[in-house]
């Protein structure tokens, strides 16, 4: 019993000292638009390192259907971006062009068409402050134009 209490106290002290497990959750919101001309409204998105969750809203401001001009918002490390964008095409339309169960995908919204919007909430637990991240649309061919830098920290 004494040993167990000591253990719990030790962990509590370590958590406070490390500061890597925030005592309070903080949800930070982001919004971005996609257009019929295959563009995102931002080339860079940033959230502070004390955000424990990100709530991102993607809005398709165009008129074209998802089958022709679908947009989603996918987050990977910049190192994984190229391979994941290829895997997304291989995953196909039925999977919303997101490879299923792929740990390299940090976050991904559903694919939407003109006039639609979608909101995604994801934890920042997998992100490293100051890390190199890229967001993109994984619809075939779109990530050439539809990509940007994601900053955490
Ligand atoms: Co797109």
């Amino acid at each position: 019993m004494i040993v167990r209490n000591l253990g719990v106290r030790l962990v509590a002290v370590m958590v406070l000292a490390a500061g890597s497990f925030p005592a309070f959750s903080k949800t930070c919101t982001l919004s971005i638009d996609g257009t019929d001309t295959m563009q995102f409204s931002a080339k860079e998105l940033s959230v502070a390192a004390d955000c424990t969750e990100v709530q991102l809203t993607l809005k398709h401001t165009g008129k074209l259907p998802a089958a022709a001009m679908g947009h989603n918002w996918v987050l990977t490390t910049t190192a994984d971006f190229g391979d994941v964008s290829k895997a997304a095409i291989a995953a196909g339309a039925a999977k919303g062009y997101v490879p299923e169960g792929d740990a390299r995908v940090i976050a991904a919204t559903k694919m939407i068409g003109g006039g639609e919007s979608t909101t995604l909430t994801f934890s920042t637990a997998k992100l490293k402050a100051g890390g190199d991240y890229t967001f993109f649309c994984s619809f075939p061919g779109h990530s050439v134009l539809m990509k940007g830098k994601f900053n955490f920290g």
Side-chain angles (χ1 to χ4, degrees):
M1 194 62 179
I2 290 163
V3 170
R4 189 168 166 232
N5 282 342
L6 193 67
V8 168
R9 274 187 202 169
L10 192 62
V11 167
V13 168
M14 284 167 71
V15 167
L16 287 171
S20 57
F21 297 91
F24 300 100
S25 63
K26 182 178 172 187
T27 303
C28 301
T29 57
L30 290 174
S31 60
I32 188 166
D33 295 347
T35 69
D36 274 348
T37 55
M38 212 193 291
Q39 300 279 346
F40 274 135
S41 57
K43 291 282 183 198
E44 197 164 343
L45 292 173
S46 302
V47 293
D50 65 346
C51 302
T52 55
E53 274 187 343
V54 176
Q55 188 184 79
L56 176 127
T57 298
L58 168 69
K59 189 179 170 190
H60 192 317
T61 58
K63 290 191 168 70
L64 295 170
M69 185 54 71
H71 298 321
N72 66 356
W73 188 92
V74 180
L75 181 65
T76 64
T77 65
T78 297
D80 286 338
F81 157 62
D83 287 343
V84 173
S85 65
K86 286 181 196 131
I89 295 165
K95 302 288 183 192
Y97 295 108
V98 175
E100 210 166 29
D102 191 324
R104 297 171 299 179
V105 176
I106 297 165
T109 70
K110 64 175 185 174
M111 192 67 69
I112 58 171
E116 296 178 319
S117 73
T118 184
T119 299
L120 166 79
T121 301
F122 63 95
S123 166
T124 61
K126 283 195 215 166
L127 301 175
K128 287 182 189 138
D132 191 358
Y133 301 100
T134 293
F135 67 85
F136 62 100
C137 172
S138 68
F139 193 95
H142 286 201
S143 66
V144 176
L145 290 172
M146 300 188 77
K147 67 175 174 185
K149 187 172 159 56
F150 184 86
N151 303 308
F152 178 62

